[in-house]
Amino acid sequence: GFFYNEDSLGGAKGDYLYHLKIANNFGSNFFETWNGFGYGETGLQTRNSPVFWIIISLLNRFLDHDLIRILNTLSSLLISIFFFKCLCLKFKKIDKKTLSIVACSVIFLSPTIRSLSIWPYSLIWGLLLFTISIYNYLLFKEKRDYKQKTISSFYCIFYLALSAYIYPSFAVFSFFYLILFLNFFKFSKNFII
């Protein structure tokens, strides 16, 4: 799909090229672009977080455009690995071969993930970080030791925060974690931290 510039969503390439202009603007004049980001008058209308496009603008200074796209393609592989790890934690009685087929099928047959792994967009990186957050949540549920649970909860929140900075829609899951961790830590020192 990468070599044929697949766009099974029909708009991934256009979205990427539109947002690439914004990333290039961040690279050439950061503060002006920051001040005009998201406003209609500046020609930078977007509902996305600027964080991902700032990162792309930094990468553009050091890496070739096609290399950035190739690195982005690896994101779908990482999503499938962490999704598989989540399935293994959640469904221990099911054979790992079956779980790997399920994980690969869901990830690699999804038109959204296929298109966004070819055309960089903040959703796929937010999804990767969110999947890592879910993996740490499942580790949290699995651990028996209080210290290990605390560490897993920190990683869970850390990766959720990163995913929300890159793709803000994932921020809504912070309410789920808030309720879960409030119930577990019961206003202890670790909950406040």
Side-chain angles (χ1 to χ4, degrees):
F2 180 84
F3 293 110
Y4 294 109
N5 289 325
E6 176 187 354
D7 186 4
S8 48
L9 279 180
K13 180 179 179 181
D15 282 348
Y16 171 67
L17 294 175
Y18 175 80
H19 287 93
L20 184 60
K21 293 176 193 171
I22 295 172
N24 291 335
N25 286 350
F26 271 120
S28 63
N29 193 342
F30 180 83
F31 291 108
E32 184 178 314
T33 306
W34 178 264
N35 287 333
F37 188 81
Y39 297 107
E41 300 165 2
T42 61
L44 302 174
Q45 301 95 332
T46 184
R47 60 181 172 83
N48 296 319
S49 166
V51 174
F52 180 75
W53 303 108
I54 292 170
I55 294 169
I56 293 293
S57 75
L58 293 172
L59 290 175
N60 278 337
R61 292 182 181 183
F62 306 106
L63 302 174
D64 181 55
H65 171 70
D66 287 332
L67 184 58
I68 292 171
R69 287 184 57 212
I70 290 169
L71 292 174
N72 185 71
T73 302
L74 297 175
S75 64
S76 60
L77 295 173
L78 293 172
I79 291 171
S80 67
I81 289 169
F82 279 99
F83 186 57
F84 171 71
K85 291 173 103 175
C86 289
L87 290 176
C88 287
L89 284 175
K90 186 70 178 163
F91 304 105
K92 293 182 183 184
K93 295 179 181 178
I94 298 177
D95 180 43
K96 288 190 178 194
K97 288 180 183 177
T98 304
L99 292 176
S100 67
I101 291 170
V102 168
C104 289
S105 296
V106 167
I107 301 303
F108 296 125
L109 294 179
S110 165
T112 301
I113 292 178
R114 285 176 41 177
S115 294
L116 296 182
S117 65
I118 294 166
W119 301 103
Y121 193 70
S122 56
L123 173 61
I124 195 155
W125 288 96
L127 181 62
L128 171 62
L129 293 166
F130 180 66
T131 306
I132 297 171
S133 175
I134 291 174
Y135 173 71
N136 283 290
Y137 165 70
L138 293 171
L139 286 176
F140 170 84
K141 287 180 61 174
E142 179 118 336
K143 303 287 183 187
R144 298 288 177 233
D145 180 48
Y146 185 81
K147 183 178 178 183
Q148 290 177 338
K149 277 187 161 311
T150 303
I151 292 169
S152 291
S153 70
F154 285 141
Y155 282 127
C156 181
I157 292 170
F158 174 75
Y159 284 107
L160 178 68
L162 287 179
S163 72
Y165 275 114
I166 290 178
Y167 197 78
S169 297
F170 290 114
V172 75
F173 291 95
S174 61
F175 294 112
F176 170 74
Y177 288 143
L178 175 68
I179 292 167
L180 174 84
F181 296 139
L182 178 63
N183 188 36
F184 177 75
F185 290 114
K186 304 201 186 317
F187 286 109
S188 69
K189 177 184 167 189
N190 287 338
F191 175 75
I192 293 170
I193 290 172

